[in-house]
Amino acid sequence: MNSDLNTESNIPSNNSSNTISKQSTSQPQDSFVKIAMRNMVKKGSTSLFHFSLTIFGVVATLLVLAIIFH
């Protein structure tokens, strides 16, 4: 019974984990800014619409605050 527990198939090999870590370090991961820019280019008009809504919201908020605290 104990010999079944000591077989090589039950022991994880270190070689597979080393190859995985080498593969992940060989290709640098993209930065969040690069991923965001790629998504913005893919979606095109949707991203521009959301960006313009955000700008409009910020300007409107600043105007309302300026009027309130004048």
Side-chain angles (χ1 to χ4, degrees), residues 27-52:
Q27 296 177 353
Q29 293 187 357
D30 292 338
S31 67
F32 290 112
V33 174
K34 191 172 185 178
I35 293 170
M37 294 293 279
R38 188 180 304 138
N39 287 339
M40 195 182 329
V41 169
K42 279 183 187 177
K43 294 182 180 180
S45 63
T46 303
S47 294
L48 289 174
F49 177 68
H50 289 157
F51 181 71
S52 61

